[in-house]
Amino acid sequence: MDAIKVLDSSSDSSDLRDRTDFVTDTQVGEVQNDHEIVPLLPLGELDGLALAAGTDKSSKRHDYMRFYEYLLTPYRDKAFTFLELGVGIPSRKAPSLRTWKAFFPKAQIVGVDIKKVSKNFEEDRIAVEIGDASRPRFLKRVARNWQPSIILDDASHFWSHQIIGLQTLFSKLPAGGIYIIEDIHTSFLSNEEGSQYADYSESLWSYINRLQAALACAQRHGPELSDEEKHMVAWIDTIFVSRRTVAIIKRQKKRRREV
């Protein structure tokens, strides 16, 4: 009956506010006592490794590793190849590659960079390919030689390069493979603002949005896609979007009825 009185329009407004606050606080307290809140993306071991290595992917800078640990843990003890486009500033000595090596004890880590000095960072289970990540022929050769299961694009962040990388390499992933693109915020830096990244008629974010819309409607409605894009969407299981990052998971089998 007290709950009904709280909603009684004849009650004094201050009394109504007091009663409402009391009921709300009691209800919240009951929820807190009866249910344990579990953080889905806590700071974990991967972030600790990233902090130790000095990569800007850690919580000290971009805070990518909480999401990556959630996403990539199923690969933790698997033997596979992790390919990262972009080794980073030479003075930092490839901290990202060293982080992946530490987190995946059975994996082969491969970095791609246009700077020849990056070759100096090779060590056991870390290889570096020197070349231009905007060149499809080069990317195809790297994929053919190493057959990666996870690909992470942290290279130039130019619109055209990000799209070329995705178009070229997603099809090379095995079923269940993961394609990640970092620093997608460059899609929001336009030519009018003097951005060096806006080197193409379409930003990566616009491109991903079209793929995501086609995925959401199972290609029965939505935006027009090229035949190549239709084929790609038929292989996409899901698309995760996080802060400055997008991750695309490849299906186990192509959905043939969509194309």
Side-chain angles (χ1 to χ4, degrees):
M1 295 299 293
D2 288 342
I4 295 175
K5 289 179 180 178
V6 169
L7 301 177
D8 188 346
S9 60
S10 64
S11 301
D12 178 77
S13 60
S14 61
D15 181 56
L16 177 62
R17 184 170 56 255
D18 292 341
R19 288 173 181 263
T20 303
D21 290 344
F22 174 77
V23 172
T24 301
D25 291 343
T26 302
Q27 290 173 338
V28 170
E30 289 175 353
V31 171
Q32 290 176 341
N33 290 333
D34 295 341
H35 296 82
E36 182 178 357
I37 305 301
V38 179
L40 186 62
L41 302 175
L43 290 172
E45 182 180 353
L46 183 55
D47 186 66
L49 294 171
L51 286 167
T55 173
D56 61 7
K57 292 175 171 48
S58 75
S59 55
K60 188 176 181 180
R61 183 78 183 276
H62 295 319
D63 196 22
Y64 294 152
M65 292 310 200
R66 293 183 302 116
F67 172 54
Y68 290 165
E69 186 156 357
Y70 166 81
L71 184 68
L72 305 179
T73 291
Y75 277 89
R76 183 70 191 271
D77 296 314
K78 305 298 183 183
F80 72 100
T81 296
F82 188 113
L83 173 63
E84 180 163 11
L85 307 182
V87 171
I89 300 171
S91 62
R92 295 180 180 172
K93 300 181 180 179
S96 181
L97 300 186
R98 289 186 282 112
T99 299
W100 301 128
K101 176 184 175 180
F103 189 70
F104 299 109
K106 298 179 181 178
Q108 172 66 52
I109 312 302
V110 180
V112 166
D113 207 283
I114 199 168
K115 298 183 292 293
K116 293 182 180 180
V117 68
S118 298
K119 196 76 173 172
N120 295 334
F121 307 132
E122 289 189 324
E123 58 184 66
D124 179 47
R125 291 198 298 114
I126 293 181
V128 176
E129 295 275 1
I130 303 300
D132 188 342
S134 69
R135 302 290 185 181
R137 181 177 295 182
F138 168 71
L139 293 177
K140 289 177 182 178
R141 178 176 65 78
V142 171
R144 183 172 60 251
N145 291 344
W146 293 103
Q147 300 180 17
S149 297
I150 299 174
I151 300 173
L152 191 157
D153 180 356
D154 186 21
S156 71
H157 315 318
F158 281 60
W159 295 2
S160 67
H161 296 186
Q162 291 173 323
I163 294 172
I164 288 170
L166 178 59
Q167 289 177 333
T168 304
L169 293 175
F170 184 76
S171 63
K172 309 303 180 186
L173 285 171
I178 302 173
Y179 196 98
I180 302 169
I181 309 172
E182 286 186 355
D183 298 310
I184 60 174
H185 67 287
T186 60
S187 287
F188 303 93
L189 306 175
S190 67
N191 261 323
E192 290 73 18
E193 297 171 320
S195 171
Q196 61 178 331
Y197 302 107
D199 67 334
Y200 189 59
S201 58
E202 182 176 30
S203 70
L204 173 74
W205 182 247
S206 172
Y207 185 80
I208 293 294
N209 271 347
R210 291 194 295 108
L211 300 183
Q212 202 167 27
L215 179 66
C217 67
Q219 298 202 52
R220 298 183 184 278
H221 308 284
E224 288 191 17
L225 303 179
S226 68
D227 289 341
E228 179 185 36
E229 292 164 349
K230 290 177 182 178
H231 179 79
M232 184 186 297
V233 172
W235 270 107
I236 293 176
D237 208 351
T238 189
I239 299 175
F240 291 97
V241 177
S242 185
R243 181 172 286 101
R244 293 189 175 193
T245 307
V246 62
I248 305 173
I249 314 302
K250 193 167 184 178
R251 290 178 54 84
Q252 294 295 322
K253 293 183 179 180
K254 180 181 177 182
R255 285 184 60 87
R256 297 186 181 280
R257 62 183 179 182
E258 288 187 6
V259 297

